Amino acid sequence: MSDKEYFERVRIGLELSVERTLKRKAALGEYVVYAHPDGTPYTMPATEALAQYLEGRK
């Protein structure tokens, strides 16, 4: 397996993990914590985060 193939598999795995986590949190009505570029944390409902994530993957 080449480095390129390896990193592609890692990237796909990370995307799948993020999507599954957001779906689980959305189903439970939970929030997710993100950080602004300056490091200041903020929260948003997981349903909103999931919608933004899926829109960005199109």
Side-chain angles (χ1 to χ4, degrees):
M1 177 184 304
S2 70
D3 286 348
K4 186 176 181 180
E5 292 169 330
Y6 175 77
F7 287 116
E8 180 64 16
R9 288 182 67 180
V10 170
R11 184 190 62 77
I12 290 169
L14 286 171
E15 286 180 358
L16 183 58
S17 177
V18 169
E19 186 174 338
R20 285 180 179 169
T21 299
L22 289 174
K23 284 182 177 179
R24 182 183 57 79
K25 286 183 165 288
L28 295 172
E30 296 179 348
Y31 284 74
V32 292
V33 178
Y34 289 112
H36 292 287
D38 67 357
T40 308
Y42 67 97
T43 61
M44 73 168 59
T47 52
E48 183 180 329
L50 177 61
Q52 288 180 9
Y53 178 76
L54 294 175
E55 183 63 32
R57 290 189 60 197
K58 288 185 179 179

